[in-house]
Amino acid sequence: YDKIKEQRWQKDRSQLNITWLVYKGFTTFDGEHVECVKDYKSIAECEETCLRKNYTGFSLWRKKCFYYDKDREVMRRRRVKSEEHTLYVRVPFVVDEKQFKLYPNCESFFGEDADFILDYESLYDCQIRCIEGNYGGFVTWNGNAYFRAKNNSKLVSKRIPKNETDLWIWTGQLPFKKKRRARTFKEFREAHGHCAR
């Protein structure tokens, strides 16, 4: 079974689209790892193990690799400073920065925040959140990012000038299928053509 699994892994490896978020000087969930490998050979080996076992990330410390299976967004939010650690968080798609169009000194649908990141560390983090949430774009102001649930064409058409504010429009497509919404009891009853008691 292990040989078949390994062959499958080698075959599918070239088809993987993965982004690794690297946070030098940070760790997360200290002491709550699911696996630890001492004297790892290379970072590539740690990445392969993480993907093969479907972990969400790992941290490196003094030739030790600690693997985690926590939600990746929670891992990023709960990271803490630790000079000797480097945290790697797996994102299951590749971010194409060319798919984000910048409108400097612009705002759109002011105050209608579907989500936000306060004091974001990098624009890349904002772009990932935008794609994961399937937002039309986001606004950056004073080191914070505010996401808009409107589609990109509406955000562009309704934009207004606003100093020190940048509007970022995502022009790409969702890289994975949206989760199907659970049907309500009323919808279920109507679909089956009978009334519940």
Side-chain angles (χ1 to χ4, degrees), residues 2-139:
D2 289 338
K3 286 184 179 179
I4 294 172
K5 193 174 181 181
E6 183 66 26
Q7 287 172 0
R8 243 182 234 158
W9 163 254
Q10 294 297 339
K11 183 180 178 182
D12 295 342
R13 186 177 173 188
S14 61
Q15 300 172 7
L16 290 171
N17 290 319
I18 298 294
T19 297
W20 292 99
L21 298 180
V22 182
Y23 300 96
K24 289 186 177 181
F26 284 91
T27 187
T28 187
F29 289 99
D30 192 25
E32 297 184 39
H33 54 273
V34 293
E35 184 180 345
C36 175
V37 175
K38 297 179 181 179
D39 298 320
Y40 64 89
K41 294 178 183 177
S42 66
I43 295 174
E45 179 189 59
C46 298
E47 290 177 347
E48 287 186 10
T49 302
C50 188
L51 294 171
R52 187 186 295 122
K53 296 189 176 182
N54 201 29
Y55 296 142
T56 47
F58 60 91
S59 65
L60 304 178
W61 177 75
R62 296 182 181 178
K63 296 302 291 182
K64 291 182 180 179
C65 183
F66 302 92
Y67 295 96
Y68 304 95
D69 61 356
K70 308 289 186 183
D71 178 81
R72 66 176 176 274
E73 184 58 33
V74 177
M75 284 177 62
R76 285 160 56 193
R77 288 182 179 181
R78 287 190 56 180
R79 63 187 184 274
V80 292
K81 289 185 178 180
S82 179
E83 289 184 7
E84 297 185 53
H85 279 84
T86 301
L87 175 65
Y88 289 75
V89 180
R90 177 171 65 94
V91 178
F93 54 83
V94 173
V95 177
D96 185 358
E97 296 182 55
K98 294 178 182 178
Q99 292 182 342
F100 287 87
K101 186 174 182 180
L102 170 63
Y103 291 88
N105 295 314
C106 283
E107 169 66 283
S108 187
F109 291 94
F110 177 74
E112 298 186 29
D113 307 328
D115 197 358
F116 59 87
I117 299 178
L118 300 180
D119 194 22
Y120 64 85
E121 291 188 3
S122 71
L123 195 61
Y124 201 71
D125 279 352
C126 301
Q127 291 169 343
I128 287 174
R129 178 76 67 85
C130 186
I131 295 172
E132 286 183 322
N134 196 25
Y135 301 126
F138 60 95
V139 171

Side-chain angles (χ1 to χ4, degrees), residues 141-195:
W141 172 78
N142 198 28
N144 304 320
Y146 304 92
F147 299 86
R148 303 290 187 253
K150 306 291 183 182
N151 63 47
N152 48 24
S153 58
K154 278 189 178 180
L155 289 174
V156 172
S157 64
K158 297 292 184 179
R159 70 185 188 278
I160 57 172
K162 191 172 178 65
N163 290 334
E164 299 181 5
T165 301
D166 289 333
L167 174 64
W168 295 86
I169 300 297
W170 180 45
T171 61
Q173 294 181 343
L174 200 64
F176 46 84
K177 293 180 180 179
K178 291 183 73 175
K179 291 183 179 178
R180 189 176 180 181
R181 182 179 63 85
R183 288 189 296 182
T184 64
F185 180 75
K186 183 179 178 182
E187 289 171 339
F188 180 84
R189 186 177 59 184
E190 289 174 353
H192 288 275
H194 61 79
C195 294

